[in-house]
Amino acid sequence: MSNTHICSQETIFSTQKILPDYRKVLYIEDHPANLALVGNLLARRLDWKLLTARDGNLGITIARTNQPDVILMDINLPGISGFEALEILLADPEIAHIPVIALSSDAFPHQIEKGIKAGFFRYLTKPYKLDDLMGALDDSIYFSLNNCGYSATNLGEEATVLT
């Protein structure tokens, strides 16, 4: 049985690789209650380490210095919006591969479509279901660890909306 998978039409990768002891999840969110909720959820997974930032600019800095496996990001942030932060992340070749999951209270269809087109790996609306959040994190970490060359142009059916 082969351990090679096709991630996109152009990218082939092997699932055999040496993995770190834990996965880093960066959560960019300005509301303390939301940070605490996600912190409590991720504490259940001993193999995940949570990094946090309260605004988009700090989140970008943390992403550059810590290279997380996945980023959770609110859309309505102080300073720059989640969309602006995503644009900066995707433009930086050192961190453009990191899947970014939008967590937003804005569930209007045009906003969700805008998020997917902008390049979010997933778009979850608040209040989100625990299974949806954990599933999206698992999917994005799998995607990240297998070097699928994440970008808005090669996601295809990978990008989904969870409301």
Side-chain angles (χ1 to χ4, degrees), residues 23-27 42 48-51 70 72 137 141:
R23 311 294 168 256
K24 292 182 275 187
V25 177
L26 170 58
Y27 187 21
L42 296 186
W48 290 358
K49 178 181 178 181
L50 180 63
L51 309 169
V70 63
L72 298 173
L137 281 167
I141 287 176

Side-chain angles (χ1 to χ4, degrees), residues 9-21:
Q9 291 181 349
E10 297 125 10
T11 307
I12 298 177
F13 62 92
S14 171
T15 56
Q16 289 186 340
K17 56 188 313 192
I18 298 171
L19 300 176
D21 292 337

Side-chain angles (χ1 to χ4, degrees), residues 66-106:
N66 290 280
Q67 295 285 313
D69 297 292
V70 63
I71 298 171
L72 298 173
M73 184 159 26
D74 186 22
I75 297 296
N76 298 310
L77 295 166
I80 62 172
S81 73
F83 285 105
E84 292 167 312
L86 177 67
E87 187 176 331
I88 293 167
L89 292 167
L90 293 176
D92 185 332
E94 295 296 316
I95 54 177
H97 66 281
I98 301 170
V100 182
I101 299 172
L103 296 178
S104 179
S105 56
D106 192 343

